[in-house]
């Protein structure tokens, strides 16, 4: 009877561990879903900003296409041009990406208004699988000792 109870306990532990893995750490688990929702909200904000900017530029373009006086006014305003001036355009330098320093301390993330950094999902999965493996080995050895004592 003790052996069947130990087997049931072991299978129940395996079931709950695998259920936790698939619900939290799986490909469609809560961690991945929250990361996707965060990136989706950032993308929606970018889309709204770009749509607003696009509408403003389209309105400005319509004004400049229809009205020659507005076109001349814009040219004089931004380029200080007269009617007989020639425009020479140079290539704009490519923007350099900022190099963010990697800090050893995670205290910056604890400031108000900032989320805690989330480690990559592969790292979480690795630690979870190794923890569960050691837990199963410990339970198996404990149950094996009890079986040998009986």
């Amino acid at each position: 009877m003790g052996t069947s109870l130990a087997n049931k306990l072991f299978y129940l532990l395996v079931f709950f561990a695998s259920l936790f893995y698939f619900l939290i750490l799986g490909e469609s688990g809560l961690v991945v879903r929250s990361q996707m929702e965060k990136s989706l909200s950032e993308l929606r904000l970018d889309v709204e900003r770009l749509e607003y900017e696009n509408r403003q530029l389209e309105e400005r373009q319509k004004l400049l296409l229809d009205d020659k006086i507005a076109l001349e006014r814009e040219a004089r305003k931004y380029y200080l041009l007269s009617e007989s001036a020639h425009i020479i355009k140079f290539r704009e330098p490519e923007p350099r990406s900022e190099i963010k320093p990697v800090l050893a301390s995670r205290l910056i993330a604890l400031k108000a208004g900032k989320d805690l950094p989330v480690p990559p999902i592969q790292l979480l999965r690795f630690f979870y699988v190794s923890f569960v493996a050691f837990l199963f080995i410990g339970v198996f050895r404990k149950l094996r000792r009890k079986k040998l004592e009986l």
Side-chain angles (χ1 to χ4, degrees), residues 17-31:
S18 60
L19 182 68
F20 177 80
Y21 177 82
F22 288 115
L23 289 179
I24 304 298
L25 301 174
E27 290 296 323
S28 61
L30 293 177
V31 174

Side-chain angles (χ1 to χ4, degrees), residues 10 22-23 38 48 54 56 71 97 99 112 123 127 130 142 144 148-149:
F10 181 74
F22 288 115
L23 289 179
K38 184 177 179 182
E48 287 180 20
N54 192 22
Q56 285 184 334
L71 181 61
S97 62
I99 300 173
L123 185 66
F127 282 121
S130 59
K142 180 80 172 178
R144 188 171 172 203
L148 291 176
E149 289 174 2

Side-chain angles (χ1 to χ4, degrees), residues 3 11 16 38 44 53 82 85 94 99 116 118 136 146:
T3 308
Y11 291 136
F16 281 120
K38 184 177 179 182
R44 284 184 178 158
E53 183 180 338
S82 64
E94 295 179 8
I99 300 173
L116 291 174
V118 177
F136 287 165
K146 282 188 177 182

